Short mmCIF file of all heavy atoms in Angstrom, two decimals:
data_model
loop_
_atom_site.label_atom_id
_atom_site.label_comp_id
_atom_site.label_asym_id
_atom_site.label_seq_id
_atom_site.Cartn_x
_atom_site.Cartn_y
_atom_site.Cartn_z
N VAL E 724 56.25 44.60 90.49
CA VAL E 724 56.84 45.88 90.84
C VAL E 724 57.34 45.78 92.28
O VAL E 724 56.54 45.50 93.19
CB VAL E 724 55.85 47.03 90.69
CG1 VAL E 724 56.47 48.36 91.09
CG2 VAL E 724 55.31 47.10 89.25
N VAL E 725 58.66 45.95 92.51
CA VAL E 725 59.24 45.64 93.80
C VAL E 725 60.10 46.78 94.30
O VAL E 725 60.61 47.60 93.52
CB VAL E 725 60.10 44.37 93.76
CG1 VAL E 725 59.26 43.16 93.27
CG2 VAL E 725 61.31 44.55 92.81
N ASP E 726 60.23 46.86 95.64
CA ASP E 726 61.07 47.91 96.24
C ASP E 726 62.50 47.36 96.36
O ASP E 726 62.77 46.19 96.06
CB ASP E 726 60.50 48.40 97.58
CG ASP E 726 60.54 47.36 98.69
OD1 ASP E 726 61.24 46.35 98.55
OD2 ASP E 726 59.86 47.59 99.72
N PRO E 731 57.21 43.21 96.80
CA PRO E 731 56.31 43.87 95.85
C PRO E 731 55.58 45.04 96.52
O PRO E 731 55.16 44.94 97.69
CB PRO E 731 55.35 42.75 95.49
CG PRO E 731 56.15 41.50 95.67
CD PRO E 731 56.99 41.75 96.89
N VAL E 732 55.43 46.11 95.79
CA VAL E 732 54.81 47.33 96.31
C VAL E 732 53.72 47.80 95.32
O VAL E 732 53.84 47.59 94.11
CB VAL E 732 55.86 48.45 96.52
CG1 VAL E 732 56.70 48.13 97.75
CG2 VAL E 732 56.74 48.62 95.28
N PRO E 733 52.67 48.44 95.85
CA PRO E 733 51.55 48.85 95.00
C PRO E 733 51.80 50.12 94.21
O PRO E 733 51.00 51.06 94.23
CB PRO E 733 50.40 49.02 96.02
CG PRO E 733 51.09 49.47 97.25
CD PRO E 733 52.41 48.70 97.26
N LEU E 734 52.91 50.13 93.47
CA LEU E 734 53.33 51.29 92.70
C LEU E 734 53.14 51.09 91.20
O LEU E 734 53.57 51.94 90.42
CB LEU E 734 54.79 51.65 93.00
CG LEU E 734 55.06 52.13 94.44
CD1 LEU E 734 56.56 52.34 94.67
CD2 LEU E 734 54.28 53.44 94.70
N GLY E 735 52.47 50.00 90.82
CA GLY E 735 52.20 49.80 89.39
C GLY E 735 51.45 50.94 88.77
O GLY E 735 51.85 51.50 87.72
N PRO E 736 50.32 51.42 89.37
CA PRO E 736 49.59 52.54 88.79
C PRO E 736 50.44 53.82 88.71
O PRO E 736 50.33 54.53 87.71
CB PRO E 736 48.42 52.73 89.77
CG PRO E 736 48.19 51.37 90.33
CD PRO E 736 49.57 50.79 90.52
N ALA E 737 51.27 54.08 89.67
CA ALA E 737 52.13 55.26 89.62
C ALA E 737 53.15 55.15 88.49
O ALA E 737 53.40 56.10 87.76
CB ALA E 737 52.83 55.46 90.97
N ALA E 738 53.72 53.93 88.35
CA ALA E 738 54.65 53.73 87.24
C ALA E 738 53.97 53.89 85.87
O ALA E 738 54.54 54.44 84.92
CB ALA E 738 55.27 52.32 87.34
N LEU E 739 52.71 53.45 85.77
CA LEU E 739 51.98 53.61 84.54
C LEU E 739 51.61 55.04 84.25
O LEU E 739 51.49 55.41 83.08
CB LEU E 739 50.72 52.71 84.56
CG LEU E 739 51.04 51.20 84.48
CD1 LEU E 739 49.81 50.39 84.83
CD2 LEU E 739 51.59 50.82 83.14
N GLN E 774 47.98 45.98 92.04
CA GLN E 774 48.79 47.17 91.93
C GLN E 774 50.29 46.89 91.95
O GLN E 774 51.10 47.75 91.61
CB GLN E 774 48.43 48.16 93.05
CG GLN E 774 46.99 48.68 92.96
CD GLN E 774 46.73 49.79 93.95
OE1 GLN E 774 47.48 50.78 94.04
NE2 GLN E 774 45.64 49.65 94.72
N GLU E 775 50.64 45.71 92.41
CA GLU E 775 52.06 45.30 92.45
C GLU E 775 52.55 44.75 91.11
O GLU E 775 53.61 44.11 91.05
CB GLU E 775 52.27 44.25 93.56
CG GLU E 775 52.03 44.75 94.98
CD GLU E 775 50.56 44.84 95.38
OE1 GLU E 775 49.69 44.41 94.58
OE2 GLU E 775 50.28 45.27 96.51
N GLN E 776 51.83 45.00 90.05
CA GLN E 776 52.14 44.46 88.74
C GLN E 776 52.06 45.54 87.65
O GLN E 776 51.34 46.52 87.81
CB GLN E 776 51.15 43.38 88.32
CG GLN E 776 51.14 42.12 89.19
CD GLN E 776 49.98 41.21 88.78
OE1 GLN E 776 48.85 41.47 89.12
NE2 GLN E 776 50.28 40.16 88.02
N VAL E 777 52.79 45.28 86.57
CA VAL E 777 52.52 45.93 85.28
C VAL E 777 52.60 44.85 84.23
O VAL E 777 53.23 43.79 84.43
CB VAL E 777 53.50 47.05 84.95
CG1 VAL E 777 53.39 48.21 85.95
CG2 VAL E 777 54.95 46.54 84.90
N ALA E 804 60.07 53.16 84.07
CA ALA E 804 58.88 53.74 84.71
C ALA E 804 58.84 53.42 86.16
O ALA E 804 58.48 54.27 87.01
CB ALA E 804 57.64 53.25 83.98
N ALA E 805 59.18 52.17 86.53
CA ALA E 805 59.18 51.78 87.94
C ALA E 805 60.25 52.54 88.69
O ALA E 805 60.02 53.01 89.85
CB ALA E 805 59.38 50.27 88.07
N VAL E 808 59.43 55.93 90.16
CA VAL E 808 58.62 56.02 91.37
C VAL E 808 59.29 55.24 92.52
O VAL E 808 58.60 54.87 93.50
CB VAL E 808 57.17 55.53 91.13
CG1 VAL E 808 56.49 56.45 90.14
CG2 VAL E 808 57.11 54.08 90.63
N GLY E 809 60.57 54.95 92.40
CA GLY E 809 61.33 54.33 93.48
C GLY E 809 61.27 52.81 93.53
O GLY E 809 61.49 52.23 94.60
N ALA E 810 60.96 52.14 92.40
CA ALA E 810 60.82 50.69 92.41
C ALA E 810 61.56 50.10 91.24
O ALA E 810 62.26 50.82 90.49
CB ALA E 810 59.33 50.31 92.36
#
Side-chain angles (χ1 to χ4, degrees):
V724 178
V725 301
D726 69 13
V732 287
L734 293 175
L739 290 168
Q774 295 189 50
E775 293 81 4
Q776 296 173 283
V777 296
V808 296

